[in-house]
Amino acid sequence: MMKTRIRIPLPTLASLALAGGLVAVPYAAFAGNYDLTVAKAKVEIDGRTVEKLTVNGSVPGPTLRLREGEKATITVANEADEPTSMHWHGILLPGIMDGAPGFNGFMGIAPGASYTYTFDIRQSGTYWYHSHTGTQDQSVLGAIVIEPAAPPPFPAERDYVVLLGDITPENSDHVLRNLKADPGYYNYNKRTLRDFFGDAREQGFGAALRDRLDWGEMRMDPTDLADVTGYAFLVNGKQPAENETFIFRKGERTRLRLINGSAMTLFDVRIPGLKMKVVAADGNDVEPVSVDEIRMGVAERYDVIVEPDGEGPYTIFAESIDRAGYARATLAANEGAEGPIPERRPRALLAMDDMGAAHGGHAGYDMDGAKDEHGGARDDHGGHEGHGHEGHGDVHQMDDRHDGHDGHDGHHMHEMQHDGAAHESPSAPARAVGWASGFPEGSKVLAYEDLRARAAPGDNRPPDRSIEMRLTGNMERYVWTLNDKRFGEAAPIRVRYGERVRIDFVNETMMAHPMHLHGMFFELENGAGAHRPLKDTVIVPPGKSVSVILTAREVGAWPLHCHLLYHMASGMMTAFVVEPPDAAEAGITPDGASLPLAISHDGHGGHAGHGGM
């Protein structure tokens, strides 16, 4: 509800949480009342002092620690001179409490006003909150940790939030205008004439020329791994030189709650010298899997447990996918210790295979595993090319077989890049080719196929129907769309209460898109049988496809969008409507549903930016 601002005293534990990482006190009382204030404040980015919107005066805001089974009451006061909002990412709650302006009757928080969110905590795990207004979520954000009502399946002696972020000293609206004026404005790594002659020596003049013409025909560049550069990369708001430090003792189990809270950056996360045991994905427990590295899409979360058998220090290293920079922190036995900074890796080049869908068909989409689970329910996708589980790294060695695998999602990254470097000349250093390439030889990188839920979902029915969601766009105009429509141009997706629905995300662009649905979880079809992992955000790699299933039991109108900030702001969003149980079926599919929608497109467009230079 909108009202004039009423301050609620900040609980003591909330104050303790301001540090971002807390030593775990799993059975202590947790307060469900919080008071957050959005206001401009001066922050320092790469040595420059600029004004940004902040939460309680900092970036990020305080970590909210809640408990499963309690009621959360969070008042957000807006002391800025522009509207704002707060979305509780991944939380199951009533639609009007979701915090997305224009949906379910929520219209944002006007300057000088406040809004009190109240909802029951029905889950546990690692989540986060952020503004859903304009381009504010770059700096208006924080972590949420929900302790389980029962003892956790993977206890740890220490428990830390590792909130990754990116922030630019520029005004975020200026960034969007620059991208609209020139989509390659921030691509400082475009291929040069020298690169062309290098390719000609390696591939022959004709092949190199054809490659350049193909990319030119698509008006794309093989170095387009990220839209924006110039970011400072953060761990809990600290830049690399500030060295966020997490204390451990030899032999202890330490839980790290990895959250990619960035605006536009996919991170490759590793801790040289330590294995990371993944025990949760997007807040949901999974069977443990040990990995060396995780590629994290924007908004994804992974809980990992590390058990150092030495004194360290160890570096938590999160390298941006375009290799423009990194965030880092240190696991150390003592404050002030610093681990070695790993050698930087070269920027990969996109391959034509990453453009698979743009060249006649949906590459990288195998259905066999899910077909087995659901008795042939997926025959309607016969036109998609499959893709095997070997060899993403080298486009020349890609294996696009349809056979013999139990996953399909195009996010397969483990053991696929080790022979994947293209050699531009015998003396030149190897350069990785392909979106999923560029990982150290012999390392185990988390793949979606590795994720297996600890408990099977209660509903294991085959889907009643499938919905194809093509991820599309026009790079020349920097317009990002779903099924060629910007937000507001297409009718919402409507499903009836209890309906079992598959969503097929088909990426027809050259960029990866982390797709997020508010208000409920996806079951990721990754070949895990009845133990499909629950996620609220899935990466759909360029030219590939990913499918998910859900049972529609959360009534309301929910945003479904790419979580890259400027893609969403440019139109890559739609409304996913779950009708109430008593809605007539004839009124739901395909159109004419009875749920009173309060979707306003103004809520995501009218903002004044959030400072900067």
Side-chain angles (χ1 to χ4, degrees), residues 88-386:
W88 317 103
H89 187 112
I91 304 297
L92 305 174
L93 39 57
I96 196 168
M97 294 294 154
D98 182 55
F103 288 79
N104 302 296
F106 176 76
M107 297 307 294
I109 308 170
S114 68
Y115 191 92
T116 297
Y117 300 82
T118 58
F119 48 88
D120 295 327
I121 303 296
R122 300 156 49 191
Q123 61 205 106
S124 62
T126 303
Y127 303 90
W128 64 304
Y129 62 90
H130 58 82
S131 170
H132 219 282
T133 299
T135 58
Q136 294 175 0
D137 80 357
Q138 181 184 94
S139 61
V140 181
L141 75 163
I144 300 173
V145 175
I146 304 177
E147 298 294 340
F154 308 107
E157 284 75 31
R158 294 178 185 266
D159 189 327
Y160 295 109
V161 167
V162 183
L163 176 55
L164 304 173
D166 56 14
I167 192 167
T168 171
E170 285 189 272
N171 181 299
S172 56
D173 281 355
H174 293 173
V175 172
L176 183 57
R177 282 199 289 272
N178 291 336
L179 290 169
K180 289 283 188 183
D182 176 8
Y185 186 91
Y186 294 98
N187 185 357
Y188 305 136
N189 291 277
K190 291 181 179 178
R191 305 221 77 194
T192 64
L193 187 62
R194 182 177 180 180
D195 294 322
F196 172 77
F197 285 118
D199 289 349
R201 283 194 299 273
E202 174 71 12
Q203 306 167 11
F205 183 85
L209 181 60
R210 279 195 301 276
D211 181 74
R212 291 299 192 277
L213 291 174
D214 283 345
W215 285 105
E217 182 183 355
M218 294 186 292
R219 295 179 174 87
M220 297 174 182
D221 189 278
T223 60
D224 277 337
L225 286 166
D227 290 346
V228 182
T229 55
Y231 280 124
F233 299 109
L234 311 172
V235 175
N236 295 342
K238 294 183 179 177
Q239 297 183 49
E242 298 174 279
N243 188 30
E244 174 77 323
T245 302
F246 306 110
I247 299 298
F248 76 95
R249 295 288 178 266
K250 180 180 176 180
E252 285 183 336
R253 289 165 300 189
T254 298
R255 177 184 288 254
L256 302 175
R257 300 177 183 269
L258 306 175
I259 305 170
N260 186 349
S262 66
M264 291 292 289
T265 303
L266 280 71
F267 285 105
D268 291 330
V269 182
R270 55 189 158 131
I271 308 176
L274 284 182
K275 285 280 188 182
M276 297 182 287
K277 185 184 296 181
V278 178
V279 297
D282 289 1
N284 296 284
D285 293 331
V286 296
E287 296 292 346
V289 55
S290 291
V291 302
D292 298 298
E293 188 152 353
I294 305 171
R295 173 161 290 182
M296 296 188 66
V298 174
E300 287 194 304
R301 291 90 63 207
Y302 290 102
D303 287 18
V304 303
I305 290 180
V306 296
E307 297 183 59
D309 57 6
E311 299 293 341
Y314 301 93
T315 298
I316 302 171
F317 197 67
E319 200 168 14
S320 66
I321 188 175
D322 66 351
R323 307 302 186 235
Y326 61 87
R328 71 110 174 197
T330 301
L331 270 171
N334 301 292
E335 289 285 351
E338 296 189 35
I341 301 299
E343 183 178 353
R344 303 284 298 283
R345 301 187 297 213
R347 181 188 184 106
L349 290 176
L350 289 172
M352 276 295 160
D353 179 76
D354 296 318
M355 302 295 99
H359 288 267
H362 303 152
Y365 200 150
D366 180 83
M367 311 288 190
D368 292 350
K371 189 182 299 181
D372 290 340
E373 298 168 23
H374 300 296
R378 309 190 60 178
D379 290 344
D380 57 324
H381 296 277
H384 295 224
E385 292 181 20

Side-chain angles (χ1 to χ4, degrees), residues 348-352 354 392-396 420-422 431-438:
L349 290 176
L350 289 172
M352 276 295 160
D354 296 318
H392 282 234
D394 186 337
V395 67
H396 305 298
R431 185 162 192 178
V433 175
W435 181 85
S437 66

Side-chain angles (χ1 to χ4, degrees), residues 52-106:
K52 291 287 182 184
L53 284 181
T54 63
V55 182
N56 290 2
S58 66
V59 180
T63 295
L64 309 184
R65 297 187 77 90
L66 304 168
R67 174 181 282 281
E68 183 180 9
E70 71 177 0
K71 181 182 288 292
T73 302
I74 307 169
T75 297
V76 179
N78 183 4
E79 294 187 353
D81 57 1
E82 59 186 282
T84 191
S85 59
M86 204 65 78
H87 164 57
W88 317 103
H89 187 112
I91 304 297
L92 305 174
L93 39 57
I96 196 168
M97 294 294 154
D98 182 55
F103 288 79
N104 302 296
F106 176 76

